[in-house]
Amino acid sequence: MLNFLSLGLALCSSFATAVPLLHDPADVANVLTRRAAVDSCPGYTASNVVTTDTSLTADLTLAGDACNAYSDDIKDLKLVVEYQTDDRLHVKIYDADLQVFQVQEQVFPRPKHEKASAAKTALQFGIKESPFSFAVKRRDNGEILFDTGTVPLVFEKEYVRLRTKLPDNPNIYGLGEHSDSFRFHTDDYERVLLNAESPNIPTNANLYGSHPVYFDHRGDKGTHGVFMLNSSPMQIDIKKAQDGYQYLEYNTIGGVIDLYFMAGSKPADVSKQYADIAGYSAMYPYWTLGFHQCKYGYWDVNMVAEVVANYSTAGIPLEVMWTDIDYMNLREDFTTDPERFPLSKMRELVSTLHARDQRYILILDPGIHAVGNYPPYEKGHEMEVFLKAADGTDILGVQWPGEVAWPDWFAPNTQQWWTDQFLETFNPEDGIDFDGVWVDMNEASNFCHDHFCNPRQKAIDDNIPPKPTNAPRPNTGRPIPGFPASFQPGSSVDAEEVTSGAASVKRYLKTLVGRQTIGNDVAASASSPRASNSVSPRQSASGEMKGFPDRNWFAPDYQVNSHLGNVSRQTIYFNTTNYDGTWQYDTHNLHGHMMASTTHESMLARRPAVRPFVLTRSTFAGSGSKVAHWFGDNFSSWDHYRTSIRQMLSFVSMHQMPMVGSDVCGFNGNAEEKMCARWALLGAFQPFYRNHAELSTIHQEFYQWPLVAEAAKKAIEVRYKLLDYIYTALYYQTTDGTPMINPLFFLYPTDSNTFRIQEQWFYGDSLLISPVTNDNSDTVTFYLPDDLFYDYWTWSRVEGTGANVTVSNVAYTDIPVHIRGGSIIPHRVNSANTTKALRQEDFFILIAPDADGKAIGRLYLDDGESIEQPNVSEVTFSYENGKFSATGSFGFSSASNESVTVAKVVVLGQDKEGQVGTLDAGKKAVTVDGPWTMSGEFGFQI
């Protein structure tokens, strides 16, 4: 019997799954044969079951002859179950000999086992000993949340299978990163978690990040979450078995079963409980919520300056200017192009931006050019920070600068080496005093497609990096308002610097033909695969949860359906060992996460008192605790305009990464005016707001089209007025995990009409955003739950009836926004050109009472940048029976010309004059003029 102390479950056995896309009939037959073998695997028997009030342990032994479906079965396993908190259950199954890889504690710190009493916890664990299976259920309603009894557990050296039965037609979300529907299709759906270069973010494919956590929403029966702490490549199938039942199945090529169950039971509760596991989001500087601009292909530093000036001339606020790899000398990290981006002009650019209260961000890639006379590589080689082959030479690949070595983020000297480059290159005294950093290509993307590639030869054959062929553009010939004389027509950069820079380029170009790397045998080691049993001389790979040393590195027999092909394709080869003795086979999905985390620490070393801002392309579970993310190299299309909403919903509400957004107007392909106008509006209601385009595309800065410029002005104006509301929502996600972006079912969990909605969202918990999503349309149909709302733009009262509403004639400069009844929203009275100027504007408080005449809201204030915040305000606003009050803490006082004054309070839904205030009969709103200073409690009765 499967024992919940007294629970019995009916168990059945069935197996059904799709065959990968194969062309050779022999390959198809081989796959079918192996999967039939899986179906006949014996499973395990549990013994030595020991239970306590807070835990359960057992031994698991293979129950029969090994099936060896994809690799060798592991005979002896261990089971550990921990009731960690009242709402969290931990279930772990691992090999008794501790050889199978487990994610390092330093990479993903484990949540504390708080030893909750099993007699009181929200979740209960049940075990069946022979054949072994387990189930998890809710205590309060008996709902079975996870049931592994349908097929046997398979645990092999290169394959692990675990299946759970699901309800029919389940509501499953999460499992990022993907561009698929927000609520998954469930009849025949596959999610692959294998971080990969993914141009144009294809659907039904693995993308840049791996977040193996899903939310299972069951309406009035509650919402729960399941997190699998496993970084090995995996495929998660959500399908129907041959006999009709619905299931979710993990298929991994390595690692252990390490599951965390989150009880919820409300959707946002699961988000908070996941934050307890994966880490709470970093708090970002206030200015990062401003509008950002970038393009790959800005020719020189003057063009960068001109874009900044053009935004000012167009009257469109620009907070942050970015520069892609264009600024580098032959695309090498920690350099500047001496002709187009000379250091003196770069420093002048940054100082000018700072004087204008604007910010600057630059890009870095993980591939370090593996040539002599390049100090970052020479120093890194000396400090042994690069991934090594068995003979001790540096493993090479190809990225933007040509043949590159890859930092080993597990090596003990890597953090210091990386930080040293930051302190030297990006220091305020004689370097580029940037404000944030962007790490890209860190899946890691490798232009060498497979292990037979010779990186040196490929770089030569493909002309990587391309050689400079044109003289630098001296100037546009147009004045650049707001910038120094050196940026104006007729000026030139410092002649000595140009001469010196040109000489350095000539010296470098001489090394491109017949150049020698520091490691004598590095080219040979990079042009042929390492022996499958070779181990780096750094640390032993036997035992100690390092992973087996004799696996099929490049094409495991279980084929994870990566859109790139074999798992080791276009990345660091999976037979590469890390410093600690683990293998890229298991740690591949951690590479970008670790690069970003290392960069976060380097930014802290550079400015210890200031919150870092690091944007990364590749992520893993927990990345949000330190860094932000954009959704990668999307396309300038209506489809990807819509996709950005689905991606945002998953990352913010389910993966605890609130500072996310897409490349507004699209990265690849030429943007179209009407689409870009819509996207400018949509992006303003997402957390991270950046316009970015690819090298070969037309320019798509917001000022390029009159219609887009008009839409952007409106979008940024309202975004900036709401910035303190947004900043407050961000703050609370960083402190208690409350999502700053909410899918509709998070706020209306029993309304089944909301479960599939993926093109509307709540910004915070008060503003319902319903953009036009049809191509070239001025009509939108959106859902209004059975609740009271107010039109944000007109303040008119709108009764939601739990039905769709269609609105036509929505201009390309408009976006429907509604205020949820019961909300109080802080605003700035006016917008501004920069966030620093914005913070000088007074507040106004907008009250939108619910049907009972009540409303609540909150406001968080701090200095916007410091890590330590001794003086903050956390203000709670409330409204009931005509009485408005502001209570809480009021530690943040007016400083540096920043306003803490409330100029007015507006109460919506009013039809008569009160004791105080002025009635606008047309808008049915009462305005009560202040001022009140938020230095203590205040309020009034209307």
Side-chain angles (χ1 to χ4, degrees):
M1 291 289 291
L2 189 151
N3 185 9
F4 279 109
L5 301 179
S6 63
L7 173 68
L9 291 178
L11 303 175
C12 61
S13 177
S14 180
F15 183 83
T17 188
V19 176
L21 294 176
L22 302 172
H23 301 288
D24 190 331
D27 290 337
V28 174
N30 181 50
V31 168
L32 292 174
T33 299
R34 290 185 181 278
R35 292 191 173 175
V38 170
D39 202 27
S40 64
C41 285
Y44 288 81
T45 298
S47 61
N48 302 322
V49 179
V50 178
T51 60
T52 72
D53 186 45
T54 64
S55 65
L56 179 150
T57 60
D59 296 329
L60 304 181
T61 306
L62 200 64
D65 293 337
C67 65
N68 299 332
Y70 294 102
S71 57
D72 295 338
D73 285 84
I74 298 176
K75 180 180 178 182
D76 296 312
L77 306 175
K78 295 284 188 181
L79 168 68
V80 174
V81 179
E82 298 171 332
Y83 291 93
Q84 293 192 334
T85 71
D86 287 344
D87 297 306
R88 184 174 73 240
L89 176 70
H90 181 215
V91 178
K92 183 175 177 181
I93 301 173
Y94 59 98
D95 60 312
D97 292 335
L98 295 178
Q99 282 196 283
V100 176
F101 173 78
Q102 297 188 32
V103 175
Q104 299 91 330
E105 182 81 21
Q106 75 190 77
V107 177
F108 192 97
R110 306 307 195 262
K112 183 180 178 181
H113 178 15
E114 299 179 12
K115 298 184 178 180
S117 172
K120 299 179 180 178
T121 54
L123 300 177
Q124 293 178 285
F125 179 86
I127 181 172
K128 180 179 179 182
E129 296 183 15
S130 183
F132 165 73
S133 67
F134 72 88
V136 177
K137 75 168 185 176
R138 286 195 187 281
R139 178 183 300 278
D140 59 358
N141 62 10
E143 183 79 2
I144 304 296
L145 307 184
F146 203 87
D147 169 13
T148 70
T150 56
V151 296
L153 166 68
V154 180
F155 203 122
E156 300 179 348
K157 289 174 63 175
E158 297 180 44
Y159 177 68
V160 176
R161 181 187 74 178
L162 181 72
R163 180 184 293 187
T164 177
K165 189 175 181 181
L166 294 172
D168 292 337
N169 195 27
N171 303 300
I172 307 294
Y173 314 82
L175 298 177
E177 178 174 10
H178 62 84
S179 58
D180 303 339
S181 63
F182 176 51
R183 177 188 180 270
F184 293 140
H185 300 292
T186 55
D187 284 348
D188 190 20
Y189 182 69
E190 296 176 348
R191 280 293 305 117
V192 172
L193 299 185
L194 173 64
N195 297 1
E197 171 84 43
S198 302
N200 302 317
I201 55 171
T203 55
N204 301 314
N206 47 309
L207 301 183
Y208 306 102
S210 293
H211 296 263
V213 58
Y214 72 83
F215 282 42
D216 182 343
H217 178 61
R218 301 188 182 182
D220 58 6
K221 295 179 180 179
T223 309
H224 70 277
V226 182
F227 170 55
M228 167 77 102
L229 178 52
N230 183 314
S231 63
S232 301
M234 71 177 71
Q235 182 167 303
I236 300 173
D237 295 336
I238 306 174
K239 300 181 178 181
K240 284 187 177 179
Q242 289 179 343
D243 55 0
Y245 73 87
Q246 190 82 55
Y247 69 84
L248 180 147
E249 181 177 274
Y250 297 96
N251 299 272
T252 83
I253 64 168
V256 302
I257 296 169
D258 197 353
L259 295 166
Y260 292 85
F261 296 91
M262 296 153 279
S265 62
K266 295 179 180 178
D269 292 339
V270 181
S271 299
K272 295 177 182 180
Q273 291 155 16
Y274 183 60
D276 290 334
I277 299 168
Y280 290 85
S281 166
M283 185 64 183
Y284 296 99
Y286 188 92
W287 59 264
T288 60
L289 294 170
F291 170 65
H292 305 240
Q293 176 64 50
C294 186
K295 189 185 192 303
Y296 177 22
Y298 287 142
W299 176 264
D300 62 8
V301 66
N302 276 17
M303 181 178 281
V304 174
E306 187 170 16
V307 170
V308 175
N310 286 346
Y311 268 101
S312 296
T313 300
I316 304 172
L318 173 64
E319 184 73 11
V320 190
M321 190 65 196
W322 298 53
T323 304
D324 210 310
I325 60 173
D326 308 285
Y327 80 92
M328 299 176 181
N329 178 28
L330 297 173
R331 299 177 174 176
E332 294 176 334
D333 284 350
F334 308 112
T335 66
T336 61
D337 184 318
E339 302 285 345
R340 296 186 174 105
F341 293 85
L343 181 58
S344 64
K345 287 287 290 290
M346 290 289 280
R347 285 178 51 78
E348 208 168 11
L349 170 72
V350 175
S351 63
T352 302
L353 288 171
H354 288 172
R356 296 160 56 103
D357 298 326
Q358 294 169 300
R359 310 281 177 159
Y360 192 50
I361 291 177
L362 293 174
I363 194 172
L364 290 172
D365 296 314
I368 302 299
H369 203 183
V371 295
N373 301 317
Y374 174 44
Y377 176 70
E378 291 181 326
K379 186 63 174 178
H381 186 83
E382 176 187 327
M383 295 176 69
E384 297 191 339
V385 306
F386 298 119
L387 290 165
K388 302 291 184 183
D391 61 1
T393 57
D394 296 336
I395 290 287
L396 294 187
V398 178
Q399 265 194 5
W400 294 119
E403 55 184 324
V404 297
W406 309 100
D408 182 346
W409 306 110
F410 292 98
N413 294 330
T414 305
Q415 179 70 73
Q416 185 60 56
W417 163 76
W418 193 247
T419 297
D420 287 346
Q421 306 310 310
F422 270 69
L423 296 179
E424 179 178 344
T425 308
F426 306 120
N427 68 80
E429 289 77 23
D430 55 12
I432 304 172
D433 189 20
F434 67 14
D435 300 283
V437 64
W438 165 25
V439 290
D440 192 17
M441 306 291 291
N442 53 350
E443 291 72 36
S445 177
N446 185 357
F447 299 165
C448 273
H449 285 187
D450 57 41
H451 58 283
F452 297 108
C453 170
N454 183 323
R456 175 181 300 177
Q457 191 61 48
K458 182 171 180 62
I460 294 172
D461 293 345
D462 293 355
N463 191 31
I464 303 173
K467 317 303 184 294
T469 57
N470 300 315
R473 183 187 73 164
N475 201 276
T476 61
R478 297 181 294 271
I480 305 178
F483 280 80
S486 61
F487 286 83
Q488 305 308 324
S491 66
S492 61
V493 296
D494 183 82
E496 182 178 349
E497 179 166 7
V498 170
T499 301
S500 174
S504 70
V505 170
K506 289 178 180 177
R507 287 195 301 271
Y508 179 81
L509 290 174
K510 289 179 180 179
T511 71
L512 289 176
V513 179
R515 61 190 181 275
Q516 295 296 317
T517 54
I518 292 177
N520 292 332
D521 300 322
V522 70
S525 69
S527 62
S528 60
R530 289 167 52 189
S532 63
N533 62 350
S534 63
V535 180
S536 165
R538 295 178 173 194
Q539 293 190 19
S540 170
S542 62
E544 300 178 352
M545 303 174 290
K546 304 295 186 184
F548 291 100
D550 55 347
R551 288 175 283 179
N552 188 342
W553 305 114
F554 307 114
D557 287 336
Y558 180 81
Q559 299 180 38
V560 171
N561 288 341
S562 170
H563 73 87
L564 293 181
N566 289 337
V567 289
S568 197
R569 186 174 174 82
Q570 291 182 229
T571 191
I572 302 168
Y573 309 133
F574 275 26
N575 66 334
T576 304
T577 51
N578 304 308
Y579 182 90
D580 67 352
T582 58
W583 305 81
Q584 285 291 311
Y585 182 104
D586 299 299
T587 65
H588 164 83
N589 285 341
L590 303 175
H591 189 87
H593 169 86
M594 294 188 69
M595 180 191 186
S597 297
T598 302
T599 303
H600 175 272
E601 298 306 309
S602 297
M603 290 292 284
L604 275 176
R606 181 174 167 270
R607 290 181 175 177
V610 176
R611 297 169 186 157
F613 179 71
V614 178
L615 184 79
T616 182
R617 189 167 77 176
S618 182
T619 61
F620 184 71
S623 291
S625 64
K626 291 187 177 180
V627 298
H629 171 62
W630 94 106
F631 302 138
D633 296 346
N634 60 357
F635 195 78
S636 294
S637 68
W638 287 99
D639 187 43
H640 284 182
Y641 162 86
R642 293 182 286 268
T643 299
S644 72
I645 305 172
R646 307 193 297 267
Q647 292 179 304
M648 172 189 65
L649 290 174
S650 293
F651 268 94
V652 182
S653 66
M654 296 174 179
H655 302 328
Q656 282 298 333
M657 292 202 73
M659 185 59 79
V660 294
S662 64
D663 281 343
V664 170
C665 298
F667 178 72
N668 290 302
N670 291 330
E672 186 271 327
E673 180 180 10
K674 290 182 178 179
M675 181 207 67
C676 195
R678 289 280 187 226
W679 212 330
L681 290 159
L682 181 147
F685 290 94
Q686 297 186 322
F688 176 61
Y689 188 27
R690 182 184 72 166
N691 182 328
H692 182 217
E694 193 265 336
L695 175 68
S696 64
T697 69
I698 63 172
H699 282 268
Q700 64 183 40
E701 294 84 6
F702 286 160
Y703 54 75
Q704 296 289 344
W705 300 279
L707 180 65
V708 178
E710 184 182 353
K713 288 177 184 178
K714 180 173 183 176
I716 296 173
E717 179 183 17
V718 70
R719 178 182 176 91
Y720 280 22
K721 286 181 178 180
L722 286 165
L723 213 59
D724 293 274
Y725 168 79
I726 300 168
Y727 188 70
T728 298
L730 172 64
Y731 170 74
Y732 284 105
Q733 181 149 9
T734 71
T735 55
D736 65 13
T738 301
M740 68 180 292
I741 298 291
N742 285 277
L744 268 68
F745 82 86
F746 270 46
L747 299 185
Y748 300 92
T750 62
D751 182 351
S752 60
N753 292 325
T754 67
F755 300 171
R756 294 175 180 268
I757 293 176
Q758 61 181 12
E759 293 178 354
Q760 292 175 261
W761 68 97
F762 277 94
Y763 211 161
D765 57 6
S766 297
L767 294 177
L768 177 59
I769 316 300
S770 308
V772 176
T773 53
N774 291 329
D775 299 15
N776 298 302
S777 175
D778 66 355
T779 299
V780 59
T781 298
F782 54 85
Y783 183 74
L784 278 184
D786 184 8
D787 206 345
L788 175 61
F789 294 88
Y790 299 83
D791 185 293
Y792 179 79
W793 306 107
T794 67
W795 295 352
S796 60
R797 182 180 171 120
V798 181
E799 295 283 353
T801 61
N804 287 333
V805 175
T806 298
V807 178
S808 298
N809 300 316
V810 181
Y812 282 90
T813 55
D814 290 339
I815 182 171
V817 179
H818 291 86
I819 308 167
R820 189 186 188 203
S823 302
I824 299 179
I825 303 176
H827 291 70
R828 298 284 178 169
V829 172
N830 299 301
S831 183
N833 285 327
T834 65
T835 62
K836 183 176 180 179
L838 180 70
R839 292 169 67 93
Q840 300 171 23
E841 296 291 335
D842 291 346
F843 289 88
F844 88 90
I845 310 300
L846 185 63
I847 301 174
D850 63 15
D852 296 325
K854 301 177 182 179
I856 58 173
R858 54 190 179 181
L859 173 65
Y860 172 76
L861 297 172
D862 65 14
D863 72 13
E865 193 165 45
S866 300
I867 293 174
E868 297 296 328
Q869 294 281 354
N871 301 309
V872 303
S873 293
E874 291 189 62
V875 184
T876 298
F877 302 115
S878 63
Y879 180 81
E880 184 174 1
N881 296 323
K883 181 180 180 181
F884 169 75
S885 62
T887 59
S889 64
F890 298 89
F892 185 72
S893 60
S894 179
S896 303
N897 296 319
E898 294 185 7
S899 175
V900 292
T901 298
V902 175
K904 62 182 179 180
V905 176
V906 177
V907 186
L908 304 184
Q910 306 302 301
D911 54 10
K912 61 182 179 180
E913 295 275 2
Q915 301 178 50
V916 297
T918 303
L919 175 67
D920 183 327
K923 292 187 174 182
K924 293 188 176 181
V926 169
T927 299
V928 182
D929 290 321
W932 300 271
T933 301
M934 286 189 285
S935 57
E937 296 183 358
F938 62 96
F940 55 79
Q941 178 79 46
I942 63 171

